[in-house]
Amino acid sequence: MTHVDEGGHPPTGTPQRFGLRLHRALTEHGPLCVGIDPHRELLHSWGLPDSPDGLREFCAVVLDAATGRCAAVKPQSAFFERHGSAGVAVLEEVLGQARHRGLLTVLDAKRGDIGSTMQGYAQAYLGPDAPLAADALTLSPYLGYEALRPALDLARESGRGAFVLVRTSNPEAAQVQSVGRPTVASRVLAGVGHDNRGQEPCGDIGVVIGATVDLAHEQLGLAEALAPVLAPGVGAQGADEHDVARSFAAVRGRVLVPVSRAVLGAGPAGMEAEVGRWAERLATAVGRG
């Protein structure tokens, strides 16, 4: 493992760490993260074929609308993987194009495994020369938080980050994540906080916590963890910018809000304006950096 200094910074020659790059993007653009979710029904509603060529055209429009207007984009890997190697090739293109445009990328793949398999996932998505490398990767800790160590360490070494599922917005999540005292979610959050020690103002290891979650009821104290928060649930799932502002007031400046259906549903002609509206709504309610 590459060593870091007391401030959590990688050695000279390594890209600036993810937490600092994210903090800068949030300060400049506000908390909007545009989801890239090219599922079959959405492609059809856009008048596009459900094919790799359709994916490519769809993603080009989304990237055009997102560039300069939001902090990050979040491609959902499943919608590319369903097209096999040709779809994964489009995902590789999208990650490269976003990087070229100055957009941070959060690849939503929710990987989680053990040992050499976890190391393989880490190398695929977080290695310095990986074709599918993103700025950050979503990770599932439910084989144990420390099972994620290969990915967490490689992310740190490569100047990248991760968002670990802590308390997600789907109704079924409470059956696992809210069990026990302290809850499973609280224990995962504690692990993230330990990894982020000394990384003010924003750590490299983030958490996924739904904007629909009652944080007081769940007894999740976020301020001490220094973790950036990926807060799904806004738009189609019922939460709005005011819910985000209220729930995450203690970590203002570290919240990234993915919005997918609410902007993608505007279609290719309306995407740019809808991204602008959501960016302004969230920046006004939640703040910039």
Side-chain angles (χ1 to χ4, degrees):
M1 175 180 171
T2 299
H3 294 289
V4 295
D5 65 23
E6 291 181 357
H9 302 282
T12 303
T14 301
Q16 186 182 54
R17 65 179 184 83
F18 171 70
L20 293 178
R21 292 188 289 124
L22 176 62
H23 189 263
R24 185 170 63 244
L26 289 168
T27 299
E28 183 174 354
H29 297 295
L32 177 63
C33 173
V34 173
I36 305 181
D37 294 2
H39 57 79
R40 179 182 290 113
E41 294 76 16
L42 185 58
L43 289 171
H44 287 170
S45 74
W46 278 40
L48 296 173
D50 184 21
S51 68
D53 285 340
L55 294 184
R56 188 172 285 109
E57 187 173 347
F58 173 91
C59 292
V61 174
V62 176
L63 289 177
D64 281 345
T67 300
R69 296 181 179 87
C70 65
V73 292
K74 184 176 72 67
Q76 171 49 258
S77 185
F79 296 129
F80 296 86
E81 292 176 36
R82 67 194 182 92
H83 290 279
S85 60
V88 174
V90 175
L91 175 59
E92 181 180 333
E93 293 172 16
V94 169
L95 292 168
Q97 290 165 5
R99 188 161 48 245
H100 178 72
R101 291 164 176 261
L103 286 163
L104 292 179
T105 53
V106 178
L107 182 57
D108 197 351
K110 299 182 178 70
R111 298 302 189 225
D113 217 304
I114 61 172
S116 60
T117 307
M118 191 68 246
Q119 182 68 54
Y121 283 134
Q123 291 166 349
Y125 299 112
L126 298 168
D129 300 315
L132 288 170
D135 291 294
L137 176 70
T138 58
L139 298 172
S140 174
Y142 296 106
L143 288 173
Y145 180 75
E146 280 304 311
L148 301 177
R149 185 55 53 194
L152 301 175
D153 286 349
L154 186 56
R156 176 73 55 81
E157 292 173 19
S158 303
R160 304 185 190 280
F163 284 95
V164 179
L165 306 184
V166 168
R167 183 60 176 88
T168 55
S169 56
N170 57 305
E172 306 87 352
Q175 299 172 12
V176 174
Q177 297 165 6
S178 299
V179 171
R181 284 291 181 268
T183 64
V184 172
S186 294
R187 295 179 188 185
V188 174
L189 180 60
V192 171
H194 183 271
D195 277 326
N196 283 335
R197 285 185 303 179
Q199 289 195 326
E200 291 86 354
C202 184
D204 298 329
I205 309 303
V207 294
V208 180
I209 298 180
T212 56
V213 173
D214 184 340
L215 296 184
H217 177 74
E218 298 281 337
Q219 298 181 6
L220 291 174
L222 287 173
E224 300 80 13
L226 292 178
V229 178
L230 187 68
V234 170
Q237 293 186 52
D240 63 17
E241 66 272 22
H242 304 295
D243 295 312
V244 175
R246 181 172 53 254
S247 294
F248 301 108
V251 290
R252 184 185 179 96
R254 297 205 303 265
V255 182
L256 190 61
V257 183
V259 180
S260 300
R261 282 174 280 182
V263 295
L264 300 176
M271 265 289 298
E272 185 175 310
E274 198 63 22
V275 169
R277 279 193 289 270
W278 272 100
E280 186 59 32
R281 286 174 63 176
L282 287 165
T284 299
V286 182
R288 299 178 187 269

